[in-house]
Amino acid sequence: MLRAQKVPVDEVYVPTARRKTLHPETTRKLAEDILENGLQTPIQVRHDGKRFVLIEGLHRLEAAKWLGETTIDAYLVQARRH
């Protein structure tokens, strides 16, 4: 079972291809929801030895940044092996 842990927002790397899927309006609405209800679902990251790489949760991460959060709840998952 995965357990959420706090990770520093500024240590989460977002791959370039993922950044292209960002919608500012979605981020704004999600930030408002987080203010009212808290973060309901942690983001997913993997650790590559020096930083956390975002797997899932781009809008949640950006909403946390927009709100000025320094940490975010995240599930640490294993990298896929091809």
Side-chain angles (χ1 to χ4, degrees):
M1 178 179 225
L2 293 174
R3 252 192 350 226
Q5 64 183 53
K6 296 277 187 193
V7 297
V9 169
D10 60 353
E11 289 182 22
V12 179
Y13 169 74
V14 179
T16 304
R18 300 277 312 180
R19 290 179 201 203
K20 293 177 183 177
T21 65
L22 183 64
H23 300 286
E25 184 62 19
T26 302
T27 300
R28 185 188 64 76
K29 288 179 181 177
L30 189 54
E32 290 173 1
D33 185 65
I34 290 171
L35 273 177
E36 291 178 18
N37 304 306
L39 181 65
Q40 300 298 310
T41 305
I43 64 172
Q44 292 181 21
V45 297
R46 67 177 173 82
H47 198 265
D48 72 354
K50 46 188 173 182
R51 63 186 175 187
F52 297 98
V53 179
L54 183 71
I55 302 297
E56 191 66 44
L58 175 62
H59 289 93
R60 286 171 275 166
L61 176 64
E62 292 301 319
K65 287 179 183 178
W66 191 76
L67 292 170
E69 298 293 333
T70 57
T71 61
I72 189 168
D73 289 337
Y75 292 132
L76 186 59
V77 298
Q78 297 297 317
R80 288 187 187 139
R81 293 196 173 138
H82 299 283

